[in-house]
Amino acid sequence: MSGQFLYGANIFANGIRQHYLRYGGKGAPVVLVPGITSPAITWGFVAERLAVHHDVYVLDVRGRGLSSTGPDLDYGLDSMASDVVHLAKALALDAPALIGHSMGARIAIRASNMKPAAFSRLVLVDPPVSGPGRRPYPSKLPWYVDSIRLSLKGIDAEGMKAFCPTWTDEQLKLRAEWLHTCYEPAIGTAFEDFHKDDIFPDLPKLSVPAMLMVAGRGGVIEQADVDEALSLNPAIEIARVENAGHMIPWDDFDGFFAALGDFLSR
């Protein structure tokens, strides 16, 4: 059983065109914010499952997919977080839950602190915990840039396999088709900000229930990071997907939903 894809749409919010995909249409609203090089459509397989019980909106973050892009936009964390706040307001969503993966989780944290009453709960899926004075994010910028440049010329699923060797053919085809929409300067700014913006000071300010989902094989979040997060906000719920790398639903789809459990519907 899967949730129904309803439509894709554009809305003008926070001064830009924001494109989103809507699934389900019934139940409590959920806004899903993807990671650094993941257009909304690549999260469709997750949104379909969520949409069995929820009204799901998957966002193309600025500089990706069909949302506004180009050299005149600010691609910093605060601007991306403000987009989410304004999107929820423009769509008249009643305190949606936010699910953010990687960069999207950092966006969700910042958006919730910008407008606490706008959101009901947060699912933070393996966010980068790098920052000033901290260990670097384990992925390297050329991994993103090289694949984007190849996609601009045209790349197929087989070519994409060199970058994502464990993905299914369908997932590789989608990435090959859509990666060219990721604007390289936007990706570079976001990657640099992984190391400039320390997200830990945001954690004590969170005023809504939050889950931190940790990839057991991701190398992004270590036990010391979990301990620090809990010392700053003991209310954060920790969920682990032991057999997954950073791209948790791609590596262990069932494990992702087992870790999520009933958190969205409590």
Side-chain angles (χ1 to χ4, degrees):
M1 184 178 182
S2 64
Q4 181 183 9
F5 172 70
L6 297 179
Y7 56 80
N10 296 297
I11 192 166
F12 188 75
N14 201 31
I16 67 167
R17 181 188 68 254
Q18 296 196 51
H19 178 259
Y20 63 92
L21 303 177
R22 188 180 182 190
Y23 295 78
K26 296 180 180 179
V30 174
V31 175
L32 199 160
V33 187
I36 187 169
T37 55
S38 294
I41 196 168
T42 64
W43 275 82
F45 72 114
V46 176
E48 287 177 355
R49 172 79 170 264
L50 289 169
V52 173
H53 300 294
H54 301 281
D55 185 12
V56 183
Y57 299 78
V58 190
L59 176 63
D60 271 331
V61 179
R62 60 169 63 199
R64 299 147 181 91
L66 301 180
S67 288
S68 288
T69 191
D72 297 330
L73 294 185
D74 178 0
Y75 296 103
L77 179 58
D78 285 343
S79 292
M80 294 188 292
S82 185
D83 286 345
V84 175
V85 172
H86 283 81
L87 175 80
K89 181 179 180 180
L91 293 173
L93 300 180
D94 183 16
L98 288 182
I99 300 177
H101 172 249
S102 193
M103 179 193 76
R106 291 164 66 95
I107 292 171
I109 292 169
R110 190 63 57 87
S112 181
N113 283 340
M114 281 182 174
K115 195 75 171 178
F119 306 104
S120 58
R121 55 189 54 234
L122 307 177
V123 180
L124 311 172
V125 184
D126 221 42
V129 292
S130 44
R134 300 182 181 275
R135 72 179 186 283
Y137 184 60
S139 294
K140 305 301 181 186
L141 184 58
W143 185 88
Y144 301 104
V145 171
D146 291 350
S147 58
I148 290 170
R149 291 177 180 176
L150 286 172
S151 73
L152 288 169
K153 297 176 181 178
I155 188 173
D156 60 12
E158 187 63 30
M160 194 58 68
K161 190 178 291 186
F163 297 91
C164 309
T166 64
W167 290 20
T168 67
D169 285 344
E170 183 178 359
Q171 291 164 351
L172 290 167
K173 287 176 182 176
L174 264 183
R175 188 164 179 82
E177 180 183 359
W178 282 88
L179 187 60
H180 76 92
T181 69
C182 294
Y183 182 53
E184 185 179 323
I187 308 310
T189 296
F191 187 87
E192 291 171 5
D193 285 352
F194 287 173
H195 303 90
K196 292 179 180 178
D197 285 323
D198 190 342
I199 209 69
F200 281 96
D202 288 56
L203 299 182
K205 304 172 188 175
L206 292 176
S207 59
V208 300
M211 169 186 283
L212 177 63
M213 189 182 295
V214 181
R217 297 189 288 106
V220 173
I221 299 176
E222 297 180 352
Q223 186 58 46
D225 305 313
V226 173
D227 294 342
E228 183 176 357
L230 289 175
S231 73
L232 294 168
N233 187 336
I236 293 175
E237 182 173 331
I238 307 299
R240 299 180 186 275
V241 187
E242 296 296 349
N243 294 320
H246 181 58
M247 304 297 287
I248 294 178
W250 281 256
D251 291 344
D252 189 351
F253 182 77
D254 290 335
F256 173 83
F257 281 96
L260 184 62
D262 65 351
F263 182 77
L264 291 177
S265 57
R266 288 180 201 163

